[in-house]
Amino acid sequence: MFLRISQKSSQLGYNGKQSLKLISTASKGFITENNELEKISNNNSAKPFTYKRFNSTASVKTKISQQRDDLDELSKSFKNNKNRIYNNSKLKNTLETSSPWYNQLRAFDDCVMQSLSVSRTNNKNDNIMRNDTLMFWDSLARAMSLYNDLLECPELNATRIGSLINLLHNGLRINRGQLIALNKKPDFDSRSFNMEISKNITEYLRDIARNLLDGKIVCNEYGVMHLLTSFKELNKIEEAINIWKDGMKNDKLTDFFIHPKVVGVMLPLLYETETFTFEQCKQLYETSRKRIDFNHPNLNCGFIVTCLMANENMLALESYSTFCDNCRLDHFKYLAEAHLAFVGKCKDIGIAESFLDRAIKGDMPYKVNLNVSEVNSLLGNTWSELNDFQRVKKTWLSALNFYKHNSVYKNRRITGILSSLNNVYFEIFFQNHQEDPLEGFKNLQESMNSYMEIVGKLDEPLLNIILAKSAVWQNQEIIDSILKNFELNNLPQTIITKRILLKILGSIDNATPKDIIARWNQLIGKVDQMGQSYIANADWAALRDATLTWAQNNKGSIGAPLRVELYFKLVKLYQPYCRDVRQVNRITSGLARQLPVAQRYLKDHHIDDIVVDDIPILQDLQSLEINEKLA
């Protein structure tokens, strides 16, 4: 019914027109009739799926992972129970008034449930969380305090622990969203607060994991899934793997750690880190799926992603086909997730492009939210696998057109999406045109014209991306030509632009101290105009790249000592506008540890003794404040 793979298809699933036709026809042939959809939604059983002609020799992966016996060790604990069907019933949160823990348990339940409700609502409406953010974090901390008080309580059951872990996971996502929003703001205090929240949540999760493995608390597969996913999202991959392996070795926890909901999370991690070979991952998949009486979507998605990572593309397509054949309506979001995996993770570009095309056309029965990260991954894969820039450009233009004109994005700010897409595209563009600036500049104009035709205008983020990456050409005339587009399109030069213009002088060999001082003054003027009270680290970094970094890369040239001296002269003049002593140390002795040219200069000179009479300091600054301790 869906994606019937021909025996004559290539091993990778895309060898000419036949395989592409199979994919195209299959997606059109997906169940669309209402009565058939009802049949799927009422069908809780999955058809058996066997691997007939897929084995280790079929893999395109050339790197042979070190053979390990972890899976065999971990399998011992449930070897005698491999045919058992897992009981998915949950313990109820019963609460007897006679319990000595009654008041604390009631407070715990109220705290967790109310906070969970707020955090789930926040996923749909960010404004709610902005109004109640401090109350939410306070409530989360209180829930953890009550949890610690209740460790000896027998009523602290698996359901309560699972809900607490779910709350922490939601809090982690909310905090990550707030950190992303703060990335473009020079609000050090707010960012510091959110980073502290991230550290606290990480420690909370570690405490729960330790208590679970030590047998102090109980949990269900729901909680374990959120626990391991949280560590994954924190990029604590090794911790997630170690927790899972320890859980698999514990007879009392094996049922939960082998559950498909959990194994679906772990499969890609185990393969990516080479903890398991692909054959071992396949064995784990088969073992896990037998634990319940239906095909769990978490497990299906995890296995498909693992297949794609291993270049087992035909097996991924077969698994996806089986998933489609047996998918219920309430699992369509998992189908969409698998669909995106083909776009971003499949190294067979023909297959990946086919799934991208289906997502753009929107002709699938499930809704695909086309994440720009997956499109970016496809751009990178196309370049690394095929070295075909025209194919990269075609995908970029298709994605631009989709994000600009698709009704889903009509009333949304897509600046961030387009900037992310443009950043990857122009990274590849300048790699492709690095050796020929003149031809590259001509093709750059063509790309900018194509962008204008689709989006309607050039924008400041796009020009900033192009400016920054054009440094590879080391050509001031080209930089000036790109810069003219700000004036031609009535676009203001933001502080980001000013930083790039200073930083880019680190790629211009004939840039003079006068040029660097002029760009620095323009940047500081913009900083003051924006109302900042101190010079940020990003501003100092731009000066560093224009001076010290260039000098380090050209340490034998006549101009190197001049740029080193210029850097420290400007530091002496403007260090009173630093935030604190730590920032001063960072831009002086901290840099010296990284750059020998700076280290040598500071060895022979003390900043207080540097003569700066030849460099006039900016006057009449309105917002920048002098730190008297640094003056």
Side-chain angles (χ1 to χ4, degrees), residues 54-65:
F54 301 101
N55 50 52
S56 58
T57 59
S59 176
V60 179
K61 187 177 181 70
T62 56
K63 181 178 179 180
I64 305 300
S65 302

Side-chain angles (χ1 to χ4, degrees), residues 50 57 123 492 577 631:
T50 56
T57 59
N123 289 333
Y577 295 108

Side-chain angles (χ1 to χ4, degrees), residues 205-206 208-210 212-213 224 227-228 231 236-249 253 257 266:
L205 292 166
R206 284 171 175 162
I208 291 175
R210 280 193 294 267
L212 177 61
L213 294 173
V224 172
L227 179 68
L228 295 173
F231 279 105
K236 308 289 185 183
I237 306 301
E238 199 63 34
E239 282 189 67
I241 290 174
N242 289 336
I243 291 169
W244 180 79
K245 289 167 72 173
D246 288 343
M248 287 286 287
K249 294 174 184 177
L253 299 176
F257 281 79
M266 296 306 301

Side-chain angles (χ1 to χ4, degrees), residues 435-465:
E435 302 302 326
D436 192 347
L438 295 180
E439 180 67 19
F441 185 63
K442 184 181 74 172
N443 291 333
L444 176 62
Q445 291 176 312
E446 291 178 1
S447 288
M448 292 170 69
N449 289 336
S450 297
Y451 184 88
M452 288 186 67
E453 289 175 7
I454 294 173
V455 179
K457 60 180 180 179
L458 297 181
D459 51 71
E460 177 256 344
L462 171 73
L463 292 177
N464 283 340
I465 289 169

Side-chain angles (χ1 to χ4, degrees), residues 516-531:
I516 295 172
I517 293 170
R519 291 297 188 196
W520 170 256
N521 288 343
Q522 291 171 16
L523 172 58
I524 297 305
K526 191 67 178 181
V527 168
D528 188 65
Q529 179 188 338
M530 288 181 61

Side-chain angles (χ1 to χ4, degrees), residues 241-265:
I241 290 174
N242 289 336
I243 291 169
W244 180 79
K245 289 167 72 173
D246 288 343
M248 287 286 287
K249 294 174 184 177
N250 188 323
D251 291 340
K252 295 180 180 179
L253 299 176
T254 301
D255 277 352
F256 308 110
F257 281 79
I258 194 63
H259 192 278
K261 187 186 292 285
V262 176
V263 172
V265 174

